[in-house]
Amino acid sequence: MSKETATQDVVKGIKEIAKEVYGTITKKTLPSLNMPIRALQNVRYDPKEGFFALEGKMKERTLTASTVKTFAQTLLMMNESRKLVETDDIATKREMYYISKNWGDARFIDQPESDTVMDDIEAMMLVNREQLGFIPEEKGGDVAGELIVIDRDPETNKELKIDCTKFGSGAYSVPSSVEHLKFETKAKFILAIETAGAFQRLVKHKYWKKANCILISMGGVPTRACRRFIRRLADSMKIPVYVFTDGDPYGYLNIYRTLKVGSGNAAHINKYFCVPQAKFIGVTPQDIIDYKLPTHPLKDIDIKRVRDGMNNDPFVQYHKEWQKALDLMVKMKKRVEQQAFAAHSLNFVIDKYLPEKLKNEKTWLP
């Protein structure tokens, strides 16, 4: 679908909803807006699809005395989106919050309130917020290694080739919108890394050259731009994706699971922003034993996160390998950081751990 067609579809969708609301009001009937419930209890996980997809549960926002403010905010934000799309402009989520200060009694009190309405509109229209003209504040992730990113000069519209091996001690930053990007690479795989510290060590010693790979720093839970970048890169270049995080419930069930299958909150767009082909190469609970790694005690909040995953997460419930790994971690009562390999030597992760893991698929998790 071309950008022009996508723009027309978004504007058309907004106008149709507005027309329906107006028509209902003129008939002296209370208007309503319908949107899917965005939560784990309203998703399914089919490994053939590879991502969390919505079930059919919906919520209805009807205009009443108690919902009048949220109802008005929803329509006003949709109108702001229409103006952004029609003028080919953008607004950050924070800017959208401040725009509302011109809405009188309908203004947002704080940004979480604004963000929730934005997510509702996105789900209601089954598009992503970037298509609505709204972009996040956070960075999209850092990239280093055997990759040429083909972008376009915004002034001349000419192609710009960006070589990710030429940033010295730095890295290429993923932009907020990646749909227009193209790629050239002969790399064998993509290695997505949780922490900036681990990423910097691999960049410093040019691990990407030694392993012929592309390094991507996720910086915690990867942003949607980062996830979409990895997905488009992996699909277009047909190369595998390996993920390297801390050995704790957050690394497993927030960072990795979000990258691979998405989240319940964004189930309406997971198919675009997840990487189903991703494989987890570490750090696993078994690695603590095999590599005699120094650890930290598992916190109560960690144990609660594991139990929530076991009881409520369709991804964990499907994969017995993850259940076994999480169970082992709880029995050990230990969690481990990526940097723990430094106890053996600073470059142990480069010289021994990653080469051994990449050769032994039996140690990976799905």
Side-chain angles (χ1 to χ4, degrees), residues 4 10 14 58 79-80 118 121 139 158 169 172-173 194 211 214 225 239 251 288 307 309 313 330 333 338 344 353 360:
E4 184 178 355
V10 169
I14 291 173
M58 303 288 288
N79 187 50
E80 292 298 331
M118 188 179 294
I121 294 171
K139 290 176 60 179
K158 291 182 178 180
S169 57
Y172 168 74
S173 292
E194 174 184 350
I214 300 164
I239 53 177
I288 295 174
R307 288 174 178 164
D313 193 315
V330 172
K333 296 182 179 179
Q338 288 180 301
H344 298 304
Y353 178 72
N360 190 0

Side-chain angles (χ1 to χ4, degrees), residues 112-150:
E113 185 184 11
S114 172
D115 290 351
T116 298
V117 171
M118 188 179 294
D119 289 342
D120 284 343
I121 294 171
E122 182 184 59
M124 179 169 56
M125 296 190 62
L126 295 178
V127 299
N128 62 64
R129 61 173 172 254
E130 290 81 3
Q131 289 175 287
L132 295 169
F134 303 126
I135 62 170
E137 300 278 355
E138 65 267 21
K139 290 176 60 179
D142 291 328
V143 184
E146 298 288 356
L147 174 67
I148 292 176
V149 178
I150 304 173

Side-chain angles (χ1 to χ4, degrees), residues 19 43 87 106 144 148 168 175 203 211-212 229 238 240 264 284 289 294 302 312 327 329:
K19 184 177 180 180
V43 303
T87 58
I148 292 176
V203 171
N212 188 21
F229 182 89
K238 295 179 172 52
T284 67
I289 300 169
D302 295 324
N312 303 310
D327 187 55
M329 181 173 59

